[in-house]
């Protein structure tokens, strides 16, 4: 299948997601279930990555800033902007593409191969709306929240590493943190988070929903969904930076 | 009643269905039989709309399925139950939730009323007391019965079964066949069963369609099959020597040449 065939099917899947739910209560239940799976289920990994990401940023920035003319508080400013602009939205979303993306693709793939999707279709349920839409909506709601949590934890990790390794005091870090702060950076990071959330959920859903074959193909589609999501995230990252910064 | 006319389906260069026509009668076990790759599953998937035929017409109780809009098909599908080859139960749900799912989706009944209905159908398929078990905790035969319970919970008019006996031992296969047959008669459903299980053919075949290479090769019922001289059908049905002997015995029985104790007369 060439690129255009995949793209066409992907667009048709997105179009098919928008139909009137057969029973709003069940769809809401599924949406809440997905919020828990995607959001709560990823908090642990996001927290660990974010704290260490911030900590490493502080240590490495101080290592590179060797000039005595540059004040120490600059380290905090650099860590803040790096975490908000790039690390939290992009790096966390790339990790989430692996965690959530592979889960969505393998779950839908397994349902397809074991004829569960066919069973839902036979019942008269729009499977794209029932299975894909709640996942996309939950990702759009929870991934930006995870990114905000990641920003906070990343900066806190940097602050902690700075004082723990004697690079700069927490007070100096706080001073640098509040200097020249641009709220637009957070807006930009959230725009990226929404874009990446859409990419992760829809690309992985596409590869899972249309899987053909057996266990081997489910594994393959899961891997492909992660690879394609990561490439799409990096591409979108560049495009958004070029347009919005 | 389901009538289909001139159903054609091709995948690439391979012709899977080459203009199949037949009538599936109400209140009967309608069997589609044939060797692997003869087009049984594709035909059944065409009938329920999981695969679009390239040509032909499908008529459900006088209404053309092929000409129905997406919404009309969705409504009709609420009158269709289907038992899949692998049962297709939702892994994350208990037996009770699996059977209750169509009720949750399409009815506004109270929880008590839904549970009452679930218990009724589970009792009907002899699965009382298995409500809280998960699909991974039950046997293949039980999964099939849960699949049947889920398929009939909304009182469908049409029941489709794709190889209901695959992977089951002969005794459980007979039980599943009998259950499907009894339910068909009890609720006066139009039941379409894909099978290549010879026991099913002989036990419940009210109306049999034999497909060979995507074409209608023979039609009849389980009694006619004994006297059929269709070479392809005989090679398919009575493949072993044992089955050939059984066929000859049945023929003799029908002609009155076998006594009450099985002794051959004259």
């Amino acid at each position: 299948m060439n690129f255009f065939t995949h793209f066409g099917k992907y667009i048709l899947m997105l179009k098919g997601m928008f139909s009137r739910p057969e029973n709003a209560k069940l769809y809401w239940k599924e949406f809440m279930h997905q919020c828990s799976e995607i959001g709560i289920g990823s908090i642990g990994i996001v927290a660990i990555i974010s704290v260490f990401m911030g900590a490493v940023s502080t240590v490495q920035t101080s290592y590179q800033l060797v000039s005595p003319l540059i004040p120490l508080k600059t380290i905090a400013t650099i860590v803040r902007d790096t975490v908000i602009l790039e690390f939290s939205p992009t790096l966390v979303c790339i990790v989430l593409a692996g965690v959530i993306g592979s889960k969505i693709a393998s779950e839908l793939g397994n349902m397809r191969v074991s004829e569960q999707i066919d069973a839902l279709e036979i019942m008269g349920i729009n499977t794209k709306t029932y299975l894909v839409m709640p996942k996309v909506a939950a990702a759009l709601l929870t991934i930006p929240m995870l990114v905000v949590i990641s920003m906070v934890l990343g900066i806190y990790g940097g602050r902690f590493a700075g004082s723990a390794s004697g690079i700069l005091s927490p007070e100096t870090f706080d001073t640098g943190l509040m200097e020249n702060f641009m709220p637009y950076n957070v807006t930009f990071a959230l725009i990226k988070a929404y874009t990446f959330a859409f990419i992760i959920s829809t690309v992985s859903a596409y590869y899972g929903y249309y899987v053909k074959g057996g266990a081997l193909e489910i594994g393959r589609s899961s891997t492909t969904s992660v690879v394609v999501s990561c490439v799409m995230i990096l591409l979108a990252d560049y495009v958004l930076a070029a347009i919005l910064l | 009643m389901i009538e289909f006319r001139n159903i054609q389906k091709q995948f690439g260069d391979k012709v899977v269905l080459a203009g199949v026509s037949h009538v599936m009668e109400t209140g009967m076990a309608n069997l589609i039989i044939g060797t692997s790759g003869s087009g049984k599953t594709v035909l059944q998937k065409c009938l329920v709309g999981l695969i679009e035929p390239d040509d032909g017409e499908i008529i459900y109780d006088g209404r053309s399925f092929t000409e129905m809009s997406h919404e009309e098909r969705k409504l009709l599908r609420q009158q269709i139950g289907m038992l899949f080859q692998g049962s297709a139960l939702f892994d994350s749900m208990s037996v009770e939730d699996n059977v209750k799912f169509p009720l949750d989706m399409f009815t506004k009944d109270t929880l008590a009323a839904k549970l009452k209905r679930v218990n009724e159908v589970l009792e009907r398929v002899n699965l009382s007391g298995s409500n809280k078990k998960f699909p991974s905790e039950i046997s293949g035969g039980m999964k099939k019965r849960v699949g049947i319970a889920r398929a009939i919970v909304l009182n469908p008019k049409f029941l489709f079964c794709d190889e209901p006996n695959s992977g089951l031992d002969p005794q459980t296969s007979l039980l599943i066949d009998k259950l499907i047959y009894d339910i068909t008669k009890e609720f006066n459903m139009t039941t379409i069963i894909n099978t290549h299980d010879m026991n099913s053919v002989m036990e419940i075949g009210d109306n049999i369609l034999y497909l060979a290479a995507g074409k209608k090769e023979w039609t009849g019922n389980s009694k006619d099959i004994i006297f059929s001289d269709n070479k392809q059908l005989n090679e398919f049905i009575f493949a072993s020597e044992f089955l050939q002997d059984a066929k000859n015995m049945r023929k003799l029985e029908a002609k009155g040449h076998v006594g009450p104790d099985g002794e051959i007369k004259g």
Side-chain angles (χ1 to χ4, degrees):
Chain A
M1 259 201 289
N2 63 29
F3 168 77
F4 292 106
T5 317
H6 276 297
F7 188 69
K9 273 175 84 177
Y10 172 74
I11 296 294
L12 285 174
M13 184 194 79
L14 295 184
K15 184 175 163 261
M17 285 187 335
F18 299 98
S19 75
R20 205 163 63 87
E22 292 81 17
N23 183 328
K25 214 172 135 187
L26 270 193
Y27 277 71
W28 176 254
K29 200 174 149 191
E30 179 63 15
F31 168 66
M32 294 312 285
H33 172 68
Q34 291 302 329
C35 284
S36 159
E37 288 278 308
I38 295 172
I40 314 255
S42 309
I43 280 183
I45 186 77
V46 167
I48 292 167
I49 289 168
S50 305
V51 170
F52 282 98
M53 190 171 67
V56 172
S57 297
T58 299
V59 175
Q60 288 192 352
T61 310
S62 90
Y63 170 72
Q64 285 175 303
L65 291 181
V66 286
S67 170
L69 297 173
I70 301 171
L72 282 176
K73 63 180 181 182
T74 311
I75 294 171
T77 312
I78 292 172
V79 168
R80 180 199 67 200
D81 287 345
T82 318
V83 165
I84 292 177
L85 281 174
E86 191 62 18
F87 280 175
S88 282
T90 312
L91 199 66
V92 164
C93 283
I94 282 181
V95 172
L96 289 178
V99 178
I100 299 167
S102 61
K103 191 181 164 300
I104 292 176
S106 52
E107 183 188 320
L108 289 176
N110 184 43
M111 288 187 79
R112 168 66 73 196
V113 169
S114 61
E115 296 181 307
Q116 291 176 46
I117 293 182
D118 286 346
L120 287 166
E121 289 277 352
I122 295 293
M123 286 177 202
I125 294 165
N126 184 333
T127 51
K128 292 184 189 98
T129 315
Y130 181 64
L131 294 173
V132 181
M133 188 59 159
K135 289 179 174 62
V136 176
L140 285 171
L141 181 73
T142 57
I143 290 180
M145 285 181 185
L146 289 171
V147 168
V148 171
I149 292 169
S150 165
M151 287 176 193
V152 174
L153 291 175
I155 291 170
Y156 182 79
R159 188 177 183 268
F160 176 77
S163 66
S165 54
I167 296 168
L168 75 171
S169 67
E171 292 74 30
T172 316
F173 192 94
D174 292 344
T175 313
L177 198 62
M178 284 180 280
E179 230 174 55
N180 302 320
F181 175 67
M182 291 167 69
Y184 176 73
N185 286 355
V186 177
T187 311
F188 175 65
L190 285 175
I191 292 171
K192 291 211 303 189
Y194 279 110
T195 311
F196 300 160
F198 184 76
I199 290 171
I200 294 168
S201 54
T202 54
V203 169
S204 52
Y206 168 75
Y207 279 99
Y209 189 84
Y210 289 109
V211 78
K212 273 183 189 159
L216 193 68
E217 282 74 15
I218 296 172
R220 233 177 246 155
S221 77
S222 178
T223 309
T224 313
S225 79
V226 174
V227 173
V228 173
S229 297
C230 288
V231 172
M232 294 297 291
I233 285 172
L234 293 172
L235 188 70
D237 190 27
Y238 171 73
V239 171
L240 287 174
I243 294 171
L244 298 172
L245 288 184
Chain B
M1 188 181 81
I2 302 171
E3 186 182 355
F4 48 93
R5 297 176 196 146
N6 192 33
I7 301 295
Q8 294 179 33
K9 185 69 194 174
Q10 198 167 334
F11 294 108
D13 292 338
K14 178 150 176 58
V15 178
V16 180
L17 296 172
V20 183
S21 306
H22 195 59
V23 177
M24 301 299 194
E25 301 288 351
T26 307
M28 282 191 185
N30 301 277
L31 269 58
I32 303 172
I33 62 170
T35 52
S36 299
S38 58
K40 305 187 295 288
T41 303
V42 174
L43 177 60
Q44 201 175 56
K45 286 191 171 176
C46 284
L47 294 183
V48 293
L50 286 175
I51 294 176
E52 284 301 318
D54 296 334
D55 201 4
E57 196 176 17
I58 300 159
I59 299 155
Y60 278 76
D61 283 344
R63 291 176 295 161
S64 173
F65 184 68
T66 5
E67 283 170 16
M68 279 181 192
S69 67
H70 183 68
E71 286 306 310
E72 285 172 325
R73 281 190 181 196
K74 269 177 78 171
L75 283 175
L76 177 76
R77 278 180 175 158
Q78 289 168 32
Q79 299 177 349
I80 296 175
M82 185 155 182
L83 171 65
F84 286 85
Q85 196 173 350
S87 302
L89 301 180
F90 306 126
D91 307 323
S92 57
M93 294 183 191
S94 65
V95 165
E96 182 177 280
D97 289 342
N98 260 288
V99 180
K100 191 158 72 70
F101 185 82
L103 295 170
D104 285 336
M105 194 57 96
F106 298 111
T107 69
K108 288 189 165 57
D109 293 349
T110 60
L111 181 64
K114 286 179 203 166
L115 288 175
K116 187 171 173 273
R117 176 69 186 143
V118 168
N119 287 326
E120 272 171 20
V121 288
L122 282 178
E123 201 181 317
R124 184 66 195 81
V125 298
N126 303 320
L127 272 180
S128 304
S130 301
N131 298 41
K132 300 296 172 197
K133 286 186 177 154
F134 279 82
S136 57
E137 299 169 336
I138 58 177
S139 67
M142 285 167 88
K143 279 183 192 168
K144 296 276 183 186
R145 283 187 275 159
V146 177
I148 295 172
R150 186 178 68 183
I152 62 168
V153 74
L154 285 174
N155 286 323
K157 288 168 77 175
F158 312 98
L159 178 65
F160 289 83
C161 305
D162 188 14
E163 312 235 354
N165 299 328
S166 71
L168 300 180
D169 62 85
Q171 204 176 5
T172 314
S173 297
L174 280 176
L175 285 175
I176 297 288
D177 280 343
K178 190 171 181 328
L179 183 62
I180 294 171
Y181 194 72
D182 290 348
I183 286 169
T184 302
K185 300 289 173 192
E186 195 177 322
F187 301 108
N188 197 33
M189 288 188 293
T190 306
T191 300
I192 292 107
I193 304 164
N194 270 6
T195 188
H196 42 218
D197 184 286
M198 285 318 104
N199 275 331
S200 306
V201 175
M202 300 315 288
E203 294 292 327
I204 62 170
D206 289 335
N207 177 20
I208 302 168
L209 165 64
Y210 172 57
L211 288 183
K215 287 179 190 156
K216 177 171 158 176
E217 183 65 32
W218 182 88
T219 59
N221 59 37
S222 56
K223 288 184 185 76
D224 302 335
I225 233 167
I226 300 287
F227 300 100
S228 167
D229 49 10
N230 185 304
K231 194 171 172 281
Q232 253 184 305
L233 177 74
N234 279 319
E235 278 173 6
F236 168 66
I237 301 271
F238 308 104
S240 69
E241 217 169 281
F242 174 76
L243 288 169
Q244 282 285 354
D245 290 345
K247 179 189 176 180
N248 292 334
M249 188 62 93
R250 281 272 180 109
K251 265 185 171 177
L252 290 173
E253 260 178 28
K255 287 175 182 168
H257 294 314
V258 179
D261 297 326
E263 78 278 14
I264 312 278
K265 294 177 189 171

